[in-house]
Amino acid sequence: MNGEFVQMIADTRGELDSIRKWINSGNQFDSKTRYLISYAVVKASGTVEVIFKNMIYNYLIVGANEKAKGYLEKAIIDSSCNPNTGNMSNILQNISSELKALFDQQVKESGEKDKLNSLVQLRNDFAHGASISVSIDTVIKYFDSAVNILKILDNVCT
């Protein structure tokens, strides 16, 4: 995984850890806690989305001309796409059925699929007006699982 992605993951994990530290220092019932957990869900899911789309873009632009790079940027990076395993798999299918099969197999073996998809669902629920009722520990667990899925994607795309 390239250094920029590793840094984005570290920065996000640092923010999540700071939120957990604040909540666990006696602020579990503070009115700000639910907002911070909602922020954590959006931040974690957003980081996964940016990294996954950029991984695929970086994989595809190798040897591409400027017009193709521009098209791929609009089609992948600028697209609206939830970072769930189904969407990752579908994009890989559009590139190569072999990549899709390899990704799907490794994701299944990892046991992390449901956690990433739960993180994305929490973000969608919040975006559509629902309250989030998970702990910061759960958000962090989901994010760590998402990072493992990103590592699988990185492995498949190299």
Side-chain angles (χ1 to χ4, degrees):
M1 194 175 302
N2 83 31
E4 178 186 354
F5 300 154
V6 170
Q7 188 62 54
M8 289 173 69
I9 290 167
D11 291 347
T12 298
R13 183 58 199 268
E15 281 190 58
L16 299 178
D17 287 338
S18 292
I19 291 168
R20 176 171 46 193
K21 183 178 178 183
W22 183 84
I23 291 170
N24 291 340
S25 67
N27 295 302
Q28 293 90 338
F29 303 108
D30 188 290
S31 63
K32 295 176 201 76
T33 297
R34 77 176 209 182
Y35 300 112
L36 285 170
I37 292 173
S38 297
Y39 167 80
V41 166
V42 172
K43 177 67 176 184
S45 182
T47 298
V48 173
E49 180 177 351
V50 168
I51 292 172
F52 121 75
K53 291 193 305 189
N54 275 282
M55 272 185 187
I56 292 174
Y57 171 79
N58 289 345
Y59 173 74
L60 291 173
I61 64 166
V62 174
N65 64 36
E66 291 307 309
K67 289 180 182 177
K69 289 178 184 178
Y71 171 77
L72 292 169
E73 182 176 350
K74 288 180 180 118
I76 297 170
I77 294 178
D78 296 343
S79 70
S80 177
C81 182
N82 282 319
N84 59 43
T85 55
N87 285 339
M88 292 178 188
S89 183
N90 289 340
I91 290 172
L92 291 173
Q93 175 64 39
N94 292 336
I95 299 166
S96 158
S97 59
E98 291 83 16
L99 287 178
K100 177 197 183 307
L102 181 60
F103 176 77
D104 289 348
Q105 175 189 0
Q106 290 182 17
V107 166
K108 182 177 180 181
E109 290 170 0
S110 76
E112 306 282 16
K113 177 180 179 177
D114 292 340
K115 294 177 192 97
L116 169 58
N117 292 343
S118 293
L119 177 66
V120 173
Q121 187 59 53
L122 284 171
R123 179 177 83 165
N124 290 342
D125 291 347
F126 180 68
H128 294 281
S131 294
I132 293 175
S133 60
V134 297
S135 69
I136 189 63
D137 291 329
T138 298
V139 175
I140 290 171
K141 179 175 65 172
Y142 289 172
F143 180 70
D144 290 343
S145 292
V147 169
N148 289 332
I149 299 285
L150 288 173
K151 289 176 182 175
I152 291 169
L153 181 64
D154 185 55
N155 181 53
V156 168
C157 290
T158 53

